Amino acid sequence: MSNTLAIDDTFYRLTSSERYDQVLQLIKKSQSIWALADAEGCLIIDLGTDKVLPIWPTEALASGWGEKDHEGFNGLEISAADWSEKWLPGMQNDKFSVGVAPNLAGECIVSSAEEHAADLQK
C-alpha cells in the first residue's frame, strides 16, 4: 500500500501540464486509462460551461481521487484504442471535455475532446 501512496504523491507533485503529458504518453503506448463510474454511468463534473470527464493513468489514482467526494464510484478501465476510436468521437458529439488527471485539489488541464484527440496525434 505504501508503494501506491508514494507513486500517488509523486504523480500529484507534478504540474497539471506534466500530468497531462504523462497521460498522453501512456495512451500513445497503448496503455489503458481510467475513469470513475457507478451504475448510472461515468462521473461527469459539471463546471457550468463545461461538462468534464476526468481520467487518470491508473485505477488507484482514479479510485483514490473519487473516495472523498464521489462515494459509490469505481475505476472503469478504458483501453487506449477504445479511448481514441470510440470515447473521444462520442465526447465530441456530446460536447464533453476531458479533465486529465486532476489532483486532489481538482486542478488539471481541461481540453475539448477535439483538442485532446489532436494532442494524441502529435
Side-chain angles (χ1 to χ4, degrees), residues 4 18 45 51 63 101-102 108 110:
T4 302
E18 290 168 331
I45 307 292
K51 295 204 182 323
S63 297
C108 68
V110 174

Side-chain angles (χ1 to χ4, degrees), residues 38-106:
D38 66 5
E40 306 286 312
C42 284
L43 174 67
I44 302 293
I45 307 292
D46 189 342
L47 297 178
T49 57
D50 281 326
K51 295 204 182 323
V52 180
L53 173 73
I55 61 168
W56 293 268
T58 67
E59 182 178 19
L61 287 167
S63 297
W65 190 87
E67 282 174 0
K68 185 175 135 198
D69 296 322
H70 303 287
E71 194 174 309
F73 283 85
N74 296 302
L76 172 71
E77 185 174 15
I78 305 167
S79 74
D82 281 353
W83 179 247
S84 297
E85 296 164 18
K86 298 176 185 171
W87 284 72
L88 288 175
M91 289 173 63
Q92 288 175 21
N93 290 340
D94 295 338
K95 303 290 184 233
F96 285 175
S97 297
V98 182
V100 177
N103 66 14
L104 297 176

Side-chain angles (χ1 to χ4, degrees), residues 8 10-24 26-27 33-36 52-58 61-62 65 83 97-111 116:
D8 293 356
T10 301
F11 183 76
Y12 283 135
R13 280 193 202 112
L14 299 174
T15 66
S16 294
S17 179
E18 290 168 331
R19 291 193 313 275
Y20 185 86
D21 290 343
Q22 195 171 89
V23 170
L24 283 182
L26 291 173
I27 297 169
I33 55 165
W34 294 82
L36 288 170
V52 180
L53 173 73
I55 61 168
W56 293 268
T58 67
L61 287 167
W65 190 87
W83 179 247
S97 297
V98 182
V100 177
N103 66 14
L104 297 176
E107 300 163 337
C108 68
I109 301 277
V110 174
S111 62
H116 186 77

